[in-house]
Amino acid sequence: YEEFIDYMDIDAVLVFDKVFAWKFEKVDASKGLYRDQWGALVHFTTNALGHSVDYAIKVENDIDNYIPPDPDEEWRYESLKKYVKRWKGERAIIAHVTDVFDIARESFLGDESYYMSMITNPDLIDRINEIVLDYNMRYIKNQIELGADVLAITGDFAITKSSMVSPDHTARFLTPALKKQVDLGHGLGVPVFKHTDGNIWNIIQLLVDTGIDGLHPIDPMAGMDLAEVRAKYPDLCLMGNVNCGATLSWKSPGEVREEVKECIRKAGYGSGYICMSSNSIHSSVKPENYVAMVEAIREYGKINWQNRG
């Protein structure tokens, strides 16, 4: 990872929590089964991130005796310390935390039970959210105090068609924890950006109201239009939008360059734009297309787009 960052001269390095700072205990390695630090049974395939197949909370009483992981364990920060020592002042060191909603539904209850409990047992949701939020707040504070320059909070609030839950439930159960994490980052002197895929038009104002400085990725595969978001939110740093599906996976390097130019044309003015993938650099992305994207960003990102014509 470090060699790749240097070789490609990447502007920032992200210390992804699930990769660098979460504990996974082996259950059955031959089947790819591990227990995550929250107590969920996770199935791993060939990809970096697994999927929960069993959850930490089976019945409500389980939470009474629940012992959360300790965010102050020194080993969690080994990679961050190494990156700060190696790149501080040369590349942006991005602290990372998985959002409360993402952890609570994926590790504690599972999607169906979490969504149903929002209506049938909101107190349970509040208790679970508070456990995760307490961990995240301490973990965030530790990372920033160790030298991180930026905070990234990731975890989807939406799918392709709309938000995962209604705007009312988003405001009740999702954004309050997000705002507390954003406020903590700001209080410690760093900007904060939020990642969520999907069509977020019905909740985007709720996200902006938490005080986030940046929003990723303005998902083109979910009908989010970069130019429209830029016009509506001129003071928000926008991030992403080069389609990691069709464009980076299947199209030619020339077509990648054209899409980069179009993204910069749409959003490369005003409060700021960070051109990058519309999600991640996943296993289907063509290496030559990734390189084409990076090279095009460097070439066209230097143009003064305030004098666009």
Side-chain angles (χ1 to χ4, degrees):
Y1 184 52
E2 295 102 296
E3 290 177 358
F4 181 79
I5 294 293
D6 278 335
Y7 181 79
M8 293 300 298
D9 194 22
I10 302 299
D11 298 313
V13 53
L14 176 70
V15 189
F16 194 73
D17 63 356
K18 290 185 180 180
V19 174
F20 296 107
W22 277 27
K23 183 179 295 182
F24 290 88
E25 295 181 356
K26 186 189 303 182
V27 176
D28 188 338
S30 66
K31 296 181 179 179
L33 295 175
Y34 293 80
R35 186 79 59 186
D36 77 11
Q37 65 178 20
W38 304 98
L41 187 65
V42 181
H43 179 230
F44 286 91
T45 56
T46 55
N47 291 307
L49 300 180
H51 297 278
S52 299
V53 294
D54 196 18
Y55 309 102
I57 302 298
K58 303 290 192 303
V59 295
E60 184 173 355
N61 290 343
D62 288 345
I63 202 170
D64 294 333
N65 300 312
Y66 182 80
I67 300 174
D70 181 2
D72 296 324
E73 293 175 318
E74 288 292 330
W75 66 268
R76 299 183 189 277
Y77 305 97
E78 291 175 0
S79 293
L80 173 62
K81 290 177 181 178
K82 180 169 58 175
Y83 299 157
V84 168
K85 183 178 180 180
R86 181 168 183 166
W87 288 311
K88 183 71 173 178
E90 298 180 16
R91 311 188 192 282
I93 310 297
I94 304 178
H96 171 265
V97 68
T98 301
D99 212 341
V100 170
F101 172 62
D102 211 50
I103 296 171
R105 66 185 178 84
E106 288 193 355
S107 289
F108 279 83
L109 289 176
D111 285 336
E112 183 178 345
S113 294
Y114 189 93
Y115 298 145
M116 290 177 63
S117 295
M118 285 179 168
I119 297 171
T120 63
N121 196 350
D123 289 343
L124 175 61
I125 299 300
D126 289 337
R127 293 179 69 187
I128 292 173
N129 285 356
E130 191 62 33
I131 290 171
V132 181
L133 179 62
D134 178 71
Y135 173 95
N136 277 8
M137 296 287 275
R138 292 161 61 191
Y139 180 60
I140 289 169
K141 183 175 183 292
N142 290 343
Q143 290 184 93
I144 295 172
E145 289 181 345
L146 286 169
D149 303 301
V150 184
L151 172 61
I153 303 173
T154 69
D156 295 337
F157 283 11
I159 54 176
T160 303
K161 293 183 178 180
S162 68
S163 59
M164 292 183 178
V165 300
S166 71
D168 285 347
H169 284 87
T170 297
R172 168 66 175 84
F173 295 105
L174 278 61
T175 52
L178 175 59
K179 178 170 172 46
K180 289 180 180 179
Q181 294 168 104
V182 171
D183 288 347
L184 176 61
H186 288 167
L188 294 171
V190 303
V192 184
F193 75 79
K194 167 66 179 164
H195 161 87
T196 171
D197 296 329
N199 189 315
I200 58 172
W201 274 123
N202 66 334
I203 61 168
I204 189 170
Q205 188 60 53
L206 293 172
L207 298 176
V208 172
D209 288 345
T210 65
I212 55 172
D213 301 287
L215 182 62
H216 177 265
I218 321 300
D219 191 347
M221 292 178 282
M224 298 297 298
D225 183 81
L226 187 62
E228 190 175 356
V229 177
R230 163 55 71 226
K232 188 170 183 179
Y233 298 100
D235 297 326
L236 187 65
C237 178
L238 303 183
M239 311 169 72
N241 212 243
V242 180
N243 192 320
C244 71
T247 303
L248 292 180
S249 299
W250 307 317
K251 292 187 178 181
S252 68
E255 290 171 304
V256 171
R257 291 176 59 84
E258 290 303 311
E259 186 160 321
V260 167
K261 284 197 289 185
E262 184 63 17
C263 287
I264 295 174
R265 185 175 293 112
K266 288 180 176 181
Y269 64 97
S271 59
Y273 172 54
I274 301 173
C275 189
M276 57 199 295
S277 162
S278 70
N279 181 288
S280 59
I281 306 302
H282 53 81
S283 56
S284 295
V285 170
K286 290 181 181 179
E288 60 267 33
N289 283 357
Y290 173 78
V291 172
M293 179 182 71
V294 172
E295 290 177 344
I297 290 169
R298 289 186 178 136
E299 179 178 352
Y300 300 112
K302 295 178 181 179
I303 297 173
N304 181 0
W305 288 96
Q306 291 180 334
N307 297 320
R308 300 171 295 157

